[in-house]
Amino acid sequence: MRALFRPLAVVSLAFSLAACGTLDRPDGPLRLNDPKSPITPAQAQASVDARVTDFLGDFGDLMNDRKATNLLALSGGGANGAYGGGLIYGWSEAGTRPVFDVVTGVSTGALAAPFAFLGPEWDEELRRAYTSGQSDSLISARSFAAAFNPSLFSSRKLHDLVDSYVTPELLAAIAREHASGRRLLVVTTNLDTQESVIWDMGVIAARGDDEARTLFRNVLVASASIPGVFPPVLLPGLTDRGEVMLEMHVDGGVNMPYLAVPEGLMLWTAPGGTNSIGRGAMYVIVNGQTGRNTGTTPGRLSGILGRTYDSMSKASLRTHLAVTAGFARRNGLELSFTAIPDNVKASALAFDQESMTALFELARQRARDGSAWLRVDQDDPAKDLVPSNEVSTQDIPEPLKIEEVPANDNDATGQGPAETPTPKADDNG
């Protein structure tokens, strides 16, 4: 069945890139002045009010606060988000998980961020989100929709998954924490402006009505909508003249792997150096791998594209970590990060329950025994900034063990996250 669907996926990808499936949207800003439009000016204004317009200023104020500040940043990574979920769960079990002043999420990290923000009391909901099997059908034959959408798969299952966890109780809990001064931030990418949009999810949650729940859910779905895999999400906004329009938003990871330091402050040093600001700590959970994997690249299109994207994304991630580490070193902040070990099989598109549960449990154990975290804010010229990250072979769950395959194996699959997604047949289909 896999051999049957793989060429279909490649052909469908080519058709979708040629605009065979599109969103019903005219050129230019989509003005919704039609009285029959479901979007009202009030809803658009609520969407605008929830956006962080001066993250640089807010972050600067945070850095100048004399009290220590804890920030948790969750990266993108698709199905690999199970790693971050397991890490947070095991961190609670170890009894060393801090209370975070700021939690940020990008892509799959955005889906876990609300639970990470609310604390250990919500860990069981976090575990179910990544191990219950609900994500099994995100990429399947039944959700294959390249002929009708500008993506390989429909986002209906993704909407259903998010909707099942964005409950009134969750929104009320987030609103309470927001009122205490803590912040939950989620990133999407506005393709119309090519800008990252930072959403203050506490502002949305504080509204507490059904429209707030809808916007909260749609922002999470947009942040997790991998371009080409899931369709974009049209979110309401306002023109300078106050006209309602819809903006095209996709995966927050398009512009940044995670959100920790504002782009405008990455090269900034506080006056007086490390003694001029209160100490704090930043924790970055990378739902992916940072090391180089040596292997023979398959000679087919999907293998070449997969390895190319894998190499490119890892290099970008290492650069982002280096810049964040430089900021931390200059300004007296601790910076710790964790990533999926380089010697396990990990794919952003492996949404099957077996793989995600295995990855969740691997991260959970690493958090419990303290082996997951690496400090990267301390200068040591004898060490690489991002050293080799591997675990003992005996500690790798069976579904995550890497199998060597011949380069000329026509059924071989690449390990990189850009491997052309293969629709799998549902049990009933």
Side-chain angles (χ1 to χ4, degrees):
M1 184 63 72
R2 290 177 61 86
L4 173 66
F5 275 119
R6 185 170 295 110
L8 177 60
V10 175
V11 172
S12 297
L13 178 59
F15 274 118
S16 66
L17 291 176
C20 196
T22 64
L23 285 176
D24 184 14
R25 191 183 196 219
D27 293 337
L30 181 56
R31 307 278 180 12
L32 298 179
N33 295 323
D34 187 337
K36 294 182 292 186
S37 167
I39 305 296
T40 66
Q43 289 173 314
Q45 185 63 58
S47 174
V48 171
D49 292 342
R51 306 178 192 206
V52 178
T53 57
D54 188 20
F55 183 55
L56 189 149
D58 293 344
F59 190 87
D61 292 341
L62 198 64
M63 290 297 95
N64 285 311
D65 194 331
R66 298 308 301 178
K67 74 178 184 68
T69 299
N70 289 323
L71 179 147
L72 173 67
L74 298 160
S75 87
N80 288 334
Y83 180 81
L87 196 289
I88 293 167
Y89 194 96
W91 207 355
S92 296
E93 292 179 313
T96 56
R97 175 177 166 186
V99 174
F100 298 104
D101 302 283
V102 181
V103 175
T104 71
V106 171
S107 191
T108 188
L111 303 184
F115 303 116
F117 179 72
L118 291 177
E121 296 81 6
W122 290 79
D123 279 358
E124 286 307 314
E125 285 80 359
L126 175 65
R127 181 183 62 82
R128 284 196 293 271
Y130 283 103
T131 66
S132 67
Q134 283 182 277
S135 61
D136 257 357
S137 57
L138 289 179
I139 293 181
S140 68
R142 287 188 174 181
S143 60
F144 192 64
F148 310 102
N149 288 333
S151 59
L152 286 175
F153 300 97
S154 164
S155 60
R156 182 174 62 85
K157 293 293 185 180
L158 178 58
H159 274 277
D160 291 344
L161 175 64
V162 173
D163 188 63
S164 68
Y165 289 102
V166 179
T167 62
E169 292 75 19
L170 180 133
L171 293 186
I174 291 173
R176 287 193 296 270
E177 295 303 320
H178 178 79
S180 73
R182 300 176 63 222
R183 293 294 176 261
L184 170 62
L185 307 177
V186 164
V187 182
T188 63
T189 302
N190 183 341
L191 285 184
D192 295 332
T193 62
Q194 297 186 334
E195 293 176 323
S196 295
V197 177
I198 303 171
W199 301 80
D200 190 330
M201 305 304 282
V203 169
I204 301 175
R207 291 178 53 208
D209 54 19
D210 288 341
E211 290 183 357
R213 181 171 176 265
T214 297
L215 179 60
F216 195 103
R217 179 196 64 199
N218 288 344
V219 169
L220 294 185
V221 171
S223 184
S225 292
I226 306 168
V229 178
F230 299 115
V233 176
L234 297 178
L235 296 174
L238 292 171
T239 68
D240 293 338
R241 295 194 296 263
E243 297 173 295
V244 178
M245 64 178 180
L246 288 183
E247 306 161 344
M248 183 179 286
H249 288 251
V250 296
D251 195 314
V254 169
N255 284 352
M256 63 177 71
Y258 60 84
L259 175 64
V261 180
E263 185 176 327
L265 287 180
M266 284 184 171
L267 300 180
W268 176 76
T269 302
T274 59
N275 296 322
S276 65
I277 59 175
R279 284 190 60 82
M282 293 190 291
Y283 299 85
V284 177
I285 296 179
V286 176
N287 291 307
Q289 295 167 314
T290 56
R292 300 169 181 85
N293 296 106
T294 300
T296 303
T297 303
R300 64 184 184 280
L301 176 62
S302 59
I304 294 169
L305 291 178
R307 290 286 290 181
T308 298
Y309 181 81
D310 191 36
S311 180
M312 178 179 65
S313 60
K314 286 179 181 178
S316 174
L317 179 57
R318 289 193 296 269
T319 299
H320 208 78
L321 280 169
V323 173
T324 307
F327 178 90
R329 290 171 179 173
R330 293 192 309 274
N331 295 293
L333 297 169
E334 296 179 7
L335 174 62
S336 302
F337 95 98
T338 180
I340 298 174
D342 297 324
N343 61 333
V344 306
K345 182 169 62 176
S347 170
L349 299 174
F351 287 103
D352 61 283
Q353 182 178 7
E354 183 182 43
S355 297
M356 293 185 71
T357 299
L359 191 56
F360 184 97
E361 292 299 330
L362 174 65
R364 177 185 179 186
Q365 182 56 43
R366 297 190 79 204
R368 291 170 63 179
D369 65 25
S371 64
W373 293 103
L374 176 69
R375 282 281 297 274
V376 289
D377 58 285
Q378 299 163 321
D379 284 305
D380 187 348
K383 295 182 179 179
D384 292 334
L385 174 70
V386 184
S388 176
N389 175 29
E390 296 187 352
V391 292
S392 171
T393 303
Q394 64 185 16
D395 294 331
I396 301 176
E398 198 63 34
L400 303 182
K401 290 184 177 179
I402 298 175
E403 298 178 4
E404 294 294 332
V405 293
N408 61 354
D409 184 350
N410 292 329
D411 197 46
T413 58
Q415 186 179 329
E419 172 74 13
T420 301
T422 302
K424 64 178 182 179
D426 290 332
D427 293 337
N428 299 322

